[in-house]
Amino acid sequence: MITIACAEGGSTIYSLKKAIEDLGEKCNILLLSSDNLLVDTDFNIETDLIHSRCGIGDYLDRLTLFSWQVLKNLESEGHYFINPLETIYNSSDKFKTTKILSKNGLKTPKTALIRDYADAKHFLDTKNMNYPVILKNSFSKCGMKVQKASSDDELKKLSKNSIWESKLIQEYVDFKNGDTYKDMRILVIDGEVVGGYRRVSNNFITNLYVGGQIEPLNVSSELEEIALKCSECMNGYIMGIDILPKDGEYYVVEVNTAPGTKGFRSLGIDVDKRIAECLIKYKKS
């Protein structure tokens, strides 16, 4: 039995469940937003492997920390996770993600964890940076709570209460291509790049969740090497790698342990089956 833990249902959840069952394996969905769910000190489930599609993040606020507590409780019961919970945490925390990637030689935007406006200004002065800059919550999801500051006044407003929101300030990488913004999502499953696409938007936030569109991407050997190195240093079995191109260089801005599969399905890439095969491969017998 494989269990998919998620905050709510969605096309990826049910497509993945079907792919697992089509390969002859039983699959159950642990829906953490269910009104019937009771997590007491005796809470446990019967399963051979848990694939979590949630973690820590500003998404469905009532589940932000609750979901993580449920997962950690199940870990204490001896359950096996793909991706590992340490990988999920490191990927959820965008500051730690950037730290790990940069220490492993991957190009990332200059980033700092800030408490307030004074910290933000100190960062700009220390790094000799100009506006605009990006501010985001370290545990934000789906492109939510990502903002751009283009002046001291905007920075002062957006950096308010930073210490209480785990806020980051980050170098703005201008990846605009003509009249649109185009970044890249590359999917790595079990040490292999299985596909990628460009996310296209008229806004610097390109997430499909907030209206970005997709177009095919020919994953070059350089991009493949970057994506595989990201997955390796994050100890990820199933990972979406988000990359910004600028002036012939590639900046890794995020890694995702629960990448959606809808975009790949629209391009005819059956990543649900590939993920299902990975989960079945690693489940406990």
Side-chain angles (χ1 to χ4, degrees), residues 95-149:
F95 182 70
K96 190 168 186 183
T97 296
T98 302
K99 182 83 170 181
I100 293 171
L101 296 178
S102 61
K103 283 176 70 68
N104 281 274
L106 290 151
K107 196 169 188 63
T108 61
K110 298 171 185 175
T111 305
L113 183 65
I114 60 172
R115 295 164 291 183
D116 50 26
Y117 172 70
D119 273 358
K121 285 293 289 181
H122 186 204
F123 172 70
L124 291 180
D125 293 341
T126 300
K127 299 299 182 182
N128 194 28
M129 286 173 53
N130 299 316
Y131 291 107
V133 292
I134 297 297
L135 286 99
K136 62 175 72 171
N137 288 18
S138 193
F139 293 97
S140 59
K141 296 283 187 182
C142 303
M144 308 299 288
K145 300 190 178 180
V146 178
Q147 299 164 305
K148 183 164 62 173

Short mmCIF file of all heavy atoms in Angstrom, two decimals, residues 95-149:
data_model
loop_
_atom_site.label_atom_id
_atom_site.label_comp_id
_atom_site.label_asym_id
_atom_site.label_seq_id
_atom_site.Cartn_x
_atom_site.Cartn_y
_atom_site.Cartn_z
N PHE A 95 15.16 29.75 2.26
CA PHE A 95 16.49 30.22 2.65
C PHE A 95 17.46 29.05 2.74
O PHE A 95 18.59 29.12 2.24
CB PHE A 95 16.42 30.97 3.97
CG PHE A 95 17.76 31.53 4.39
CD1 PHE A 95 18.34 32.58 3.70
CD2 PHE A 95 18.44 30.99 5.46
CE1 PHE A 95 19.57 33.09 4.06
CE2 PHE A 95 19.68 31.49 5.85
CZ PHE A 95 20.24 32.55 5.15
N LYS A 96 17.03 27.97 3.37
CA LYS A 96 17.91 26.80 3.49
C LYS A 96 18.17 26.19 2.13
O LYS A 96 19.29 25.74 1.84
CB LYS A 96 17.31 25.76 4.45
CG LYS A 96 18.32 24.67 4.78
CD LYS A 96 17.87 23.80 5.93
CE LYS A 96 18.99 22.81 6.31
NZ LYS A 96 18.56 21.90 7.39
N THR A 97 17.15 26.17 1.27
CA THR A 97 17.35 25.68 -0.10
C THR A 97 18.47 26.44 -0.78
O THR A 97 19.39 25.85 -1.36
CB THR A 97 16.06 25.85 -0.93
OG1 THR A 97 15.03 25.04 -0.38
CG2 THR A 97 16.28 25.45 -2.37
N THR A 98 18.39 27.77 -0.74
CA THR A 98 19.40 28.60 -1.39
C THR A 98 20.78 28.34 -0.80
O THR A 98 21.78 28.28 -1.53
CB THR A 98 19.03 30.09 -1.24
OG1 THR A 98 17.73 30.31 -1.80
CG2 THR A 98 20.03 30.98 -1.96
N LYS A 99 20.85 28.19 0.50
CA LYS A 99 22.12 27.92 1.18
C LYS A 99 22.72 26.61 0.69
O LYS A 99 23.91 26.54 0.35
CB LYS A 99 21.89 27.87 2.69
CG LYS A 99 23.13 27.65 3.52
CD LYS A 99 23.86 28.95 3.76
CE LYS A 99 24.97 28.76 4.80
NZ LYS A 99 25.68 30.03 5.05
N ILE A 100 21.92 25.55 0.66
CA ILE A 100 22.41 24.24 0.24
C ILE A 100 22.87 24.28 -1.22
O ILE A 100 23.95 23.78 -1.56
CB ILE A 100 21.32 23.16 0.42
CG1 ILE A 100 21.04 22.95 1.91
CG2 ILE A 100 21.73 21.84 -0.24
CD1 ILE A 100 19.83 22.07 2.19
N LEU A 101 22.06 24.87 -2.08
CA LEU A 101 22.40 24.92 -3.51
C LEU A 101 23.68 25.71 -3.74
O LEU A 101 24.56 25.28 -4.50
CB LEU A 101 21.24 25.52 -4.31
CG LEU A 101 19.93 24.75 -4.31
CD1 LEU A 101 18.88 25.52 -5.12
CD2 LEU A 101 20.10 23.34 -4.88
N SER A 102 23.79 26.88 -3.11
CA SER A 102 24.97 27.72 -3.34
C SER A 102 26.23 27.05 -2.79
O SER A 102 27.31 27.16 -3.40
CB SER A 102 24.77 29.10 -2.71
OG SER A 102 24.59 29.02 -1.31
N LYS A 103 26.13 26.36 -1.66
CA LYS A 103 27.29 25.66 -1.10
C LYS A 103 27.75 24.52 -2.01
O LYS A 103 28.89 24.07 -1.92
CB LYS A 103 26.97 25.12 0.30
CG LYS A 103 26.97 26.18 1.39
CD LYS A 103 26.55 25.62 2.72
CE LYS A 103 27.60 24.68 3.30
NZ LYS A 103 28.82 25.39 3.70
N ASN A 104 26.86 24.07 -2.87
CA ASN A 104 27.20 23.00 -3.80
C ASN A 104 27.52 23.52 -5.20
O ASN A 104 27.51 22.76 -6.17
CB ASN A 104 26.07 21.98 -3.85
CG ASN A 104 26.08 21.02 -2.67
OD1 ASN A 104 26.76 20.01 -2.68
ND2 ASN A 104 25.34 21.38 -1.62
N GLY A 105 27.82 24.80 -5.28
CA GLY A 105 28.32 25.37 -6.52
C GLY A 105 27.27 25.74 -7.55
O GLY A 105 27.61 26.04 -8.70
N LEU A 106 25.99 25.75 -7.15
CA LEU A 106 24.92 26.11 -8.08
C LEU A 106 24.64 27.61 -7.98
O LEU A 106 24.70 28.19 -6.89
CB LEU A 106 23.66 25.31 -7.78
CG LEU A 106 23.80 23.82 -8.14
CD1 LEU A 106 22.93 22.96 -7.24
CD2 LEU A 106 23.48 23.58 -9.59
N LYS A 107 24.35 28.23 -9.09
CA LYS A 107 24.13 29.67 -9.11
C LYS A 107 22.73 29.99 -8.60
O LYS A 107 21.73 29.47 -9.12
CB LYS A 107 24.32 30.22 -10.52
CG LYS A 107 24.48 31.73 -10.57
CD LYS A 107 24.94 32.19 -11.94
CE LYS A 107 25.28 33.68 -11.93
NZ LYS A 107 26.41 34.01 -11.05
N THR A 108 22.65 30.85 -7.59
CA THR A 108 21.38 31.26 -7.00
C THR A 108 21.40 32.78 -6.84
O THR A 108 22.46 33.40 -6.77
CB THR A 108 21.16 30.61 -5.62
OG1 THR A 108 22.22 31.03 -4.74
CG2 THR A 108 21.14 29.09 -5.72
N PRO A 109 20.22 33.41 -6.76
CA PRO A 109 20.20 34.84 -6.48
C PRO A 109 20.77 35.13 -5.09
O PRO A 109 20.62 34.32 -4.17
CB PRO A 109 18.71 35.19 -6.54
CG PRO A 109 18.07 34.08 -7.30
CD PRO A 109 18.87 32.86 -6.99
N LYS A 110 21.42 36.26 -4.94
CA LYS A 110 21.89 36.69 -3.62
C LYS A 110 20.68 36.81 -2.70
O LYS A 110 19.67 37.41 -3.07
CB LYS A 110 22.62 38.02 -3.71
CG LYS A 110 23.87 37.99 -4.59
CD LYS A 110 24.43 39.38 -4.80
CE LYS A 110 25.61 39.34 -5.77
NZ LYS A 110 26.10 40.71 -6.09
N THR A 111 20.79 36.25 -1.51
CA THR A 111 19.62 36.11 -0.64
C THR A 111 20.01 36.36 0.81
O THR A 111 21.11 36.00 1.24
CB THR A 111 19.02 34.71 -0.77
OG1 THR A 111 18.72 34.44 -2.14
CG2 THR A 111 17.74 34.56 0.05
N ALA A 112 19.10 36.95 1.58
CA ALA A 112 19.31 37.12 3.02
C ALA A 112 17.99 36.92 3.76
O ALA A 112 16.91 37.26 3.25
CB ALA A 112 19.87 38.51 3.33
N LEU A 113 18.10 36.39 4.96
CA LEU A 113 16.97 36.26 5.87
C LEU A 113 16.94 37.52 6.72
O LEU A 113 17.93 37.87 7.36
CB LEU A 113 17.15 35.02 6.75
CG LEU A 113 16.06 34.65 7.74
CD1 LEU A 113 14.78 34.28 7.01
CD2 LEU A 113 16.52 33.50 8.62
N ILE A 114 15.82 38.22 6.71
CA ILE A 114 15.78 39.53 7.36
C ILE A 114 14.75 39.59 8.48
O ILE A 114 13.79 38.82 8.51
CB ILE A 114 15.48 40.66 6.34
CG1 ILE A 114 14.13 40.44 5.65
CG2 ILE A 114 16.61 40.75 5.32
CD1 ILE A 114 13.69 41.60 4.78
N ARG A 115 15.01 40.53 9.39
CA ARG A 115 14.09 40.76 10.50
C ARG A 115 13.23 42.00 10.28
O ARG A 115 12.11 42.09 10.77
CB ARG A 115 14.88 40.93 11.81
CG ARG A 115 15.64 39.68 12.23
CD ARG A 115 16.68 40.00 13.28
NE ARG A 115 17.78 40.79 12.70
CZ ARG A 115 18.86 41.18 13.35
NH1 ARG A 115 18.99 40.85 14.63
NH2 ARG A 115 19.80 41.88 12.76
N ASP A 116 13.79 42.97 9.54
CA ASP A 116 13.10 44.25 9.40
C ASP A 116 13.72 45.05 8.26
O ASP A 116 14.60 44.56 7.53
CB ASP A 116 13.17 45.05 10.71
CG ASP A 116 14.59 45.15 11.26
OD1 ASP A 116 15.56 45.06 10.46
OD2 ASP A 116 14.75 45.31 12.49
N TYR A 117 13.28 46.29 8.12
CA TYR A 117 13.77 47.18 7.06
C TYR A 117 15.27 47.44 7.20
O TYR A 117 15.99 47.48 6.19
CB TYR A 117 12.98 48.48 7.12
CG TYR A 117 13.50 49.57 6.20
CD1 TYR A 117 13.38 49.46 4.82
CD2 TYR A 117 14.09 50.72 6.73
CE1 TYR A 117 13.84 50.46 3.98
CE2 TYR A 117 14.55 51.72 5.90
CZ TYR A 117 14.43 51.59 4.53
OH TYR A 117 14.88 52.59 3.70
N ALA A 118 15.74 47.60 8.43
CA ALA A 118 17.16 47.87 8.64
C ALA A 118 18.02 46.71 8.11
O ALA A 118 19.06 46.94 7.48
CB ALA A 118 17.44 48.11 10.13
N ASP A 119 17.58 45.49 8.36
CA ASP A 119 18.29 44.32 7.82
C ASP A 119 18.30 44.35 6.29
O ASP A 119 19.33 44.05 5.66
CB ASP A 119 17.61 43.03 8.28
CG ASP A 119 18.11 42.54 9.61
OD1 ASP A 119 19.02 43.18 10.18
OD2 ASP A 119 17.59 41.53 10.11
N ALA A 120 17.15 44.69 5.72
CA ALA A 120 17.04 44.72 4.26
C ALA A 120 17.99 45.75 3.66
O ALA A 120 18.70 45.47 2.68
CB ALA A 120 15.60 45.02 3.86
N LYS A 121 18.04 46.94 4.25
CA LYS A 121 18.94 47.97 3.77
C LYS A 121 20.41 47.58 3.96
O LYS A 121 21.26 47.86 3.10
CB LYS A 121 18.66 49.30 4.49
CG LYS A 121 17.41 50.00 4.02
CD LYS A 121 17.56 50.51 2.57
CE LYS A 121 18.53 51.67 2.49
NZ LYS A 121 18.65 52.18 1.09
N HIS A 122 20.71 46.93 5.06
CA HIS A 122 22.07 46.46 5.32
C HIS A 122 22.50 45.47 4.24
O HIS A 122 23.64 45.51 3.75
CB HIS A 122 22.13 45.80 6.70
CG HIS A 122 23.51 45.40 7.12
ND1 HIS A 122 23.73 44.41 8.05
CD2 HIS A 122 24.73 45.83 6.73
CE1 HIS A 122 25.04 44.25 8.22
NE2 HIS A 122 25.66 45.10 7.42
N PHE A 123 21.58 44.60 3.86
CA PHE A 123 21.87 43.62 2.80
C PHE A 123 22.17 44.33 1.48
O PHE A 123 23.14 44.01 0.79
CB PHE A 123 20.67 42.68 2.64
CG PHE A 123 20.76 41.75 1.46
CD1 PHE A 123 21.67 40.71 1.45
CD2 PHE A 123 19.90 41.90 0.38
CE1 PHE A 123 21.74 39.83 0.37
CE2 PHE A 123 19.97 41.04 -0.70
CZ PHE A 123 20.88 40.00 -0.71
N LEU A 124 21.34 45.31 1.12
CA LEU A 124 21.55 46.04 -0.13
C LEU A 124 22.90 46.75 -0.14
O LEU A 124 23.63 46.72 -1.13
CB LEU A 124 20.43 47.06 -0.34
CG LEU A 124 19.03 46.51 -0.63
CD1 LEU A 124 18.05 47.67 -0.82
CD2 LEU A 124 19.02 45.63 -1.85
N ASP A 125 23.24 47.36 0.99
CA ASP A 125 24.50 48.08 1.07
C ASP A 125 25.70 47.13 1.02
O ASP A 125 26.68 47.39 0.33
CB ASP A 125 24.55 48.90 2.36
CG ASP A 125 23.53 50.04 2.37
OD1 ASP A 125 23.07 50.42 1.28
OD2 ASP A 125 23.21 50.53 3.47
N THR A 126 25.59 46.03 1.75
CA THR A 126 26.70 45.07 1.81
C THR A 126 26.96 44.44 0.45
O THR A 126 28.12 44.23 0.05
CB THR A 126 26.38 43.96 2.83
OG1 THR A 126 26.19 44.55 4.12
CG2 THR A 126 27.51 42.93 2.90
N LYS A 127 25.90 44.13 -0.28
CA LYS A 127 26.03 43.48 -1.59
C LYS A 127 26.09 44.48 -2.74
O LYS A 127 26.17 44.07 -3.91
CB LYS A 127 24.85 42.52 -1.82
CG LYS A 127 24.76 41.40 -0.79
CD LYS A 127 26.00 40.52 -0.80
CE LYS A 127 25.86 39.38 0.20
NZ LYS A 127 27.09 38.54 0.24
N ASN A 128 26.06 45.78 -2.40
CA ASN A 128 26.12 46.84 -3.42
C ASN A 128 25.04 46.62 -4.48
O ASN A 128 25.30 46.65 -5.69
CB ASN A 128 27.51 46.89 -4.06
CG ASN A 128 27.74 48.15 -4.87
OD1 ASN A 128 27.14 49.20 -4.58
ND2 ASN A 128 28.58 48.05 -5.88
N MET A 129 23.82 46.39 -4.02
CA MET A 129 22.71 46.07 -4.91
C MET A 129 21.79 47.27 -5.10
O MET A 129 21.63 48.09 -4.20
CB MET A 129 21.90 44.89 -4.35
CG MET A 129 22.60 43.55 -4.50
SD MET A 129 21.70 42.23 -3.65
CE MET A 129 20.07 42.41 -4.37
N ASN A 130 21.16 47.33 -6.24
CA ASN A 130 20.18 48.36 -6.56
C ASN A 130 18.78 47.75 -6.64
O ASN A 130 18.61 46.54 -6.71
CB ASN A 130 20.52 49.02 -7.90
CG ASN A 130 21.87 49.70 -7.90
OD1 ASN A 130 22.21 50.40 -6.93
ND2 ASN A 130 22.65 49.51 -8.96
N TYR A 131 17.78 48.62 -6.66
CA TYR A 131 16.41 48.17 -6.86
C TYR A 131 16.20 47.79 -8.32
O TYR A 131 16.92 48.29 -9.20
CB TYR A 131 15.43 49.27 -6.45
CG TYR A 131 15.40 49.54 -4.97
CD1 TYR A 131 15.97 50.71 -4.45
CD2 TYR A 131 14.81 48.65 -4.08
CE1 TYR A 131 15.94 50.97 -3.09
CE2 TYR A 131 14.78 48.91 -2.72
CZ TYR A 131 15.35 50.07 -2.23
OH TYR A 131 15.32 50.32 -0.87
N PRO A 132 15.21 46.93 -8.61
CA PRO A 132 14.27 46.30 -7.67
C PRO A 132 14.89 45.09 -6.96
O PRO A 132 15.92 44.56 -7.41
CB PRO A 132 13.12 45.86 -8.57
CG PRO A 132 13.77 45.57 -9.88
CD PRO A 132 14.88 46.58 -10.01
N VAL A 133 14.23 44.68 -5.89
CA VAL A 133 14.59 43.45 -5.17
C VAL A 133 13.31 42.67 -4.91
O VAL A 133 12.21 43.23 -4.95
CB VAL A 133 15.33 43.74 -3.85
CG1 VAL A 133 16.70 44.32 -4.10
CG2 VAL A 133 14.50 44.65 -2.95
N ILE A 134 13.48 41.41 -4.63
CA ILE A 134 12.35 40.52 -4.34
C ILE A 134 12.24 40.29 -2.84
O ILE A 134 13.26 40.08 -2.17
CB ILE A 134 12.51 39.17 -5.07
CG1 ILE A 134 12.50 39.36 -6.58
CG2 ILE A 134 11.42 38.18 -4.64
CD1 ILE A 134 11.19 39.91 -7.13
N LEU A 135 11.03 40.31 -2.32
CA LEU A 135 10.77 39.87 -0.95
C LEU A 135 9.78 38.73 -1.01
O LEU A 135 8.81 38.78 -1.77
CB LEU A 135 10.22 41.01 -0.09
CG LEU A 135 11.28 42.04 0.30
CD1 LEU A 135 11.20 43.24 -0.61
CD2 LEU A 135 11.14 42.45 1.75
N LYS A 136 10.05 37.70 -0.25
CA LYS A 136 9.15 36.54 -0.23
C LYS A 136 9.20 35.88 1.14
O LYS A 136 10.21 35.95 1.85
CB LYS A 136 9.53 35.53 -1.32
CG LYS A 136 10.92 34.94 -1.18
CD LYS A 136 11.21 33.84 -2.21
CE LYS A 136 11.40 34.37 -3.59
NZ LYS A 136 11.90 33.31 -4.52
N ASN A 137 8.12 35.23 1.51
CA ASN A 137 8.13 34.42 2.72
C ASN A 137 8.91 33.15 2.46
O ASN A 137 8.72 32.50 1.44
CB ASN A 137 6.70 34.08 3.15
CG ASN A 137 5.97 35.28 3.73
OD1 ASN A 137 6.38 36.42 3.50
ND2 ASN A 137 4.89 35.03 4.45
N SER A 138 9.76 32.80 3.39
CA SER A 138 10.62 31.64 3.18
C SER A 138 9.83 30.36 2.99
O SER A 138 10.28 29.43 2.33
CB SER A 138 11.59 31.49 4.35
OG SER A 138 12.62 30.57 4.04
N PHE A 139 8.64 30.30 3.56
CA PHE A 139 7.81 29.10 3.46
C PHE A 139 6.58 29.31 2.59
O PHE A 139 5.57 28.64 2.76
CB PHE A 139 7.39 28.62 4.86
CG PHE A 139 8.53 28.12 5.69
CD1 PHE A 139 9.14 28.96 6.62
CD2 PHE A 139 9.03 26.84 5.53
CE1 PHE A 139 10.20 28.51 7.39
CE2 PHE A 139 10.09 26.39 6.29
CZ PHE A 139 10.68 27.22 7.23
N SER A 140 6.66 30.23 1.64
CA SER A 140 5.52 30.48 0.75
C SER A 140 5.39 29.38 -0.28
O SER A 140 6.35 28.68 -0.60
CB SER A 140 5.67 31.83 0.05
OG SER A 140 6.86 31.89 -0.70
N LYS A 141 4.19 29.22 -0.81
CA LYS A 141 3.89 28.19 -1.79
C LYS A 141 3.21 28.79 -3.02
O LYS A 141 2.52 29.81 -2.93
CB LYS A 141 2.94 27.12 -1.20
CG LYS A 141 3.51 26.33 -0.04
CD LYS A 141 4.49 25.29 -0.51
CE LYS A 141 4.91 24.39 0.63
NZ LYS A 141 5.91 23.41 0.21
N CYS A 142 3.41 28.14 -4.17
CA CYS A 142 2.65 28.44 -5.39
C CYS A 142 2.78 29.89 -5.85
O CYS A 142 1.86 30.45 -6.44
CB CYS A 142 1.17 28.11 -5.20
SG CYS A 142 0.86 26.39 -4.74
N GLY A 143 3.92 30.52 -5.56
CA GLY A 143 4.13 31.89 -5.99
C GLY A 143 3.40 32.92 -5.14
O GLY A 143 3.40 34.11 -5.47
N MET A 144 2.78 32.47 -4.04
CA MET A 144 2.06 33.38 -3.17
C MET A 144 3.06 34.13 -2.28
O MET A 144 4.11 33.64 -1.93
CB MET A 144 1.06 32.62 -2.29
CG MET A 144 0.13 31.69 -3.06
SD MET A 144 -0.92 32.56 -4.25
CE MET A 144 -2.05 33.38 -3.12
N LYS A 145 2.71 35.36 -1.92
CA LYS A 145 3.50 36.20 -1.02
C LYS A 145 4.91 36.46 -1.55
O LYS A 145 5.87 36.51 -0.78
CB LYS A 145 3.53 35.59 0.39
CG LYS A 145 2.13 35.46 1.01
CD LYS A 145 2.16 35.10 2.46
CE LYS A 145 0.74 35.03 3.03
NZ LYS A 145 0.71 34.67 4.45
N VAL A 146 5.02 36.59 -2.87
CA VAL A 146 6.25 37.02 -3.51
C VAL A 146 6.00 38.42 -4.04
O VAL A 146 5.05 38.65 -4.79
CB VAL A 146 6.66 36.08 -4.67
CG1 VAL A 146 7.93 36.59 -5.34
CG2 VAL A 146 6.85 34.66 -4.16
N GLN A 147 6.85 39.38 -3.64
CA GLN A 147 6.62 40.77 -3.99
C GLN A 147 7.91 41.43 -4.46
O GLN A 147 9.01 40.96 -4.14
CB GLN A 147 6.05 41.53 -2.78
CG GLN A 147 4.71 40.97 -2.30
CD GLN A 147 4.35 41.45 -0.92
OE1 GLN A 147 5.10 41.28 0.03
NE2 GLN A 147 3.17 42.05 -0.79
N LYS A 148 7.77 42.52 -5.20
CA LYS A 148 8.92 43.25 -5.72
C LYS A 148 8.92 44.66 -5.17
O LYS A 148 7.90 45.35 -5.23
CB LYS A 148 8.89 43.27 -7.25
CG LYS A 148 10.09 43.94 -7.89
CD LYS A 148 10.22 43.59 -9.37
CE LYS A 148 9.06 44.05 -10.19
NZ LYS A 148 9.28 43.85 -11.65
N ALA A 149 10.07 45.08 -4.63
CA ALA A 149 10.22 46.43 -4.11
C ALA A 149 11.14 47.21 -5.04
O ALA A 149 12.23 46.75 -5.39
CB ALA A 149 10.80 46.41 -2.70
#
